[in-house]
Amino acid sequence: MEKSFESDNMTRVQEFVLLGLSTRLGIRDALFVIFLALYLLTLLENTLIIYLIRSHSELHKPMYFFLGNLSCLEMCYVSVTMPTLLVGLWTGPCHVPFTSCMTQLFFFISLICTECTLLASMAYDRYVAICRPLHYPLLMRPQVCLALALSSWLGGLLVSVIKTACIASLSYCGPNVLNHFFCDVSPLLNLSCTHVALTELVDFISAIVILWGSLFVAIASYVAISRTVLAMPSAAARRKAFSTCASHLVVVGIFYSATIFIYARPSRIEAMDLNKVLSVIYTVVTPMCNPIIYCLRNKEVQSAFRRTIRWSSNA
């Protein structure tokens, strides 16, 4: 019995090899430059948004409070997945120790769950602002906004603890090659040499509660908003109301389309090349585009940005 236990320990995978986006040297060099530029641009954009929101009192509103949380999340998000992507493009297949892989998985799951619930909170904020404007100061008072944000972050952490613990407890006897650029749920389940039914059940339940639950809140909010806006007598009022929500709808549509396609299907997914492309959309493209879509096209944010530039030039 003791020998069998020692043998199991010896055959257990100690590290994973991430193949990354491409194994062709010429393509890797070009992709490295592109993704490094996107990474730095994402950090710069989101840092700017957080600075503007914190330094300008006219942006101290519930909508911008949630946008500040989203920008903070996006910076954490890209900083979890980008390092292994860039290392893989620079050096080739990336060797990641087992504990580091599980750590990356933990933060990734936590952040993606937080983003789902945060987007739902932002949709609810727009619903209250447009459909119940007289009650907006009460329903979206600072205590409520803080509670929604905290529940998003803590809920993501809780789900991640459970899911990561289930995946880490599986046995990985080899091979240890992940056809991905970061440690994700499906590639790890594909490598497990033990029964994964319980882990897949946990994954399915969390997807129902977090992914589909938050999507339902977002859809219900925007259906109610659409009805209210269409009932407005003024065409100018309708355009203004739709313009405040159009950017949010774009982000919600891109994010949920990619995540549902990957995570709402059975957990063992074989079409990994397609998954890598979709993963790039919600781990790289969306965090980079969110500040532009949400804030930098917003008149209040543009005004705050221009004043910041003037202050800097006059200093």
Side-chain angles (χ1 to χ4, degrees), residues 16 29 37 69 85 102 155 176 178-179 231 245 252 262 279 289 295:
F16 293 102
D29 292 341
N69 274 266
L85 186 153
M102 291 301 133
N176 65 338
L178 294 173
N179 185 17
C245 301
V252 167
I262 293 178
S279 296
C289 293
C295 291

Side-chain angles (χ1 to χ4, degrees), residues 221-235:
S221 297
Y222 282 106
V223 168
I225 289 171
S226 299
R227 290 178 176 174
T228 300
V229 171
L230 292 174
M232 291 178 178
S234 169

Side-chain angles (χ1 to χ4, degrees), residues 3-14:
K3 288 183 179 179
S4 175
F5 179 77
E6 291 175 359
S7 175
D8 288 344
N9 277 342
M10 290 180 65
T11 58
R12 183 178 174 86
V13 167
Q14 299 299 316

Side-chain angles (χ1 to χ4, degrees), residues 68-117:
N69 274 266
L70 184 64
S71 290
C72 180
L73 183 143
E74 300 292 21
M75 289 196 294
C76 297
Y77 202 32
V78 293
S79 297
V80 167
T81 57
M82 270 291 199
T84 50
L85 186 153
L86 292 172
V87 169
L89 292 173
W90 183 255
T91 64
C94 179
H95 294 256
V96 181
F98 182 86
T99 53
S100 298
C101 186
M102 291 301 133
T103 301
Q104 184 184 47
L105 178 69
F106 169 78
F107 284 110
F108 172 74
I109 293 174
S110 174
L111 292 170
I112 197 172
C113 291
T114 299
E115 180 155 7
C116 286
T117 51

Side-chain angles (χ1 to χ4, degrees), residues 118-129:
L118 196 57
L119 288 175
S121 298
M122 294 168 70
Y124 174 73
D125 171 69
R126 291 299 84 204
Y127 159 75
V128 177

